[in-house]
Amino acid sequence: MAKPLLFVLNGPNLEYLGEREPAIYGTTTLADIEAMCRAEADAAGLDLRFHQTNAEHEMVGWIHEARKAAAGIVINPAAFSYAGYPILDALKMCDCPIVEVHISNIHRRDEVWRANSLMSAAVTGLITGLGPHGYVLAIRYLIEKHRP
Ligand code: CA2
């Protein structure tokens, strides 16, 4: 039987994690975060798809796939958070639990616009400011939710 599947989706510029602005985003790379997520999913017997994109249409496509196949979605929409209405609509089409993750605390940034994520209206819950650990906590929540 196929294992339950989780999607972890990352938006624009996050491929530079660990290289740019370490004072805000830390030194952990996106590859490190993928490994952390995979370790959690593996230990619980779940499959995991991990993606990053700078293209909105690609993100929408993955959410459509997740809508059909996933037990849960973790999404760091990055700057799509502030203008990504097609992504917001795609998330609203999903019935599975969705956790929005931001590495930095978007409510504590110098740029106040970072606090206003459009996505928060469509997700089950939001983790912001806990660094890469936010992804791990999100995966654990989805594993817990999926347990019979
Ligand atoms: O804190 C987060 O995870 C963010 O979603 C990161 C986004 C930013 O637009 C959000 O406001 C908060 C992307 C930041 C810009 O891309 C960088 C990626 C790696 C290192 C530095 C910047």
Side-chain angles (χ1 to χ4, degrees):
M1 212 173 77
K3 291 181 191 172
L5 177 62
L6 300 179
F7 274 60
V8 182
L9 302 175
N10 295 278
N13 300 307
L14 290 172
E15 73 270 43
Y16 289 104
L17 272 179
E19 285 180 42
R20 311 281 306 168
E21 300 184 78
I24 297 172
Y25 298 108
T27 54
T28 306
T29 67
L30 198 60
D32 295 332
I33 292 174
E34 179 172 0
M36 291 158 71
C37 291
R38 284 201 186 283
E40 292 294 324
D42 283 354
L46 272 71
D47 269 339
L48 187 121
R49 297 222 188 120
F50 192 99
H51 298 298
Q52 185 275 330
T53 187
N54 298 318
E56 191 171 54
H57 69 92
E58 198 166 28
M59 183 65 88
V60 169
W62 289 328
I63 295 167
H64 290 172
E65 279 179 36
R67 176 176 171 263
K68 289 191 212 131
I73 301 171
V74 178
I75 183 166
N76 183 344
F80 288 148
S81 304
Y82 312 112
Y85 288 99
I87 293 170
L88 175 65
D89 280 344
L91 289 174
K92 282 186 171 171
M93 289 162 63
C94 296
D95 293 325
C96 66
I98 305 170
V99 185
E100 177 180 357
V101 171
H102 296 278
I103 290 162
S104 63
N105 180 348
I106 58 173
H107 297 281
R108 205 182 172 186
R109 300 288 300 272
D110 290 342
E111 303 98 338
V112 288
W113 54 267
R114 290 194 190 276
N116 296 318
S117 170
L118 299 169
M119 304 303 140
S120 304
V123 301
T124 311
L126 173 67
I127 299 174
T128 185
L130 302 186
H133 195 58
Y135 286 80
V136 171
L137 295 175
I139 299 271
R140 284 187 192 160
Y141 168 77
L142 293 175
I143 290 168
E144 190 63 34
K145 280 293 278 185
H146 188 69
R147 233 168 237 146

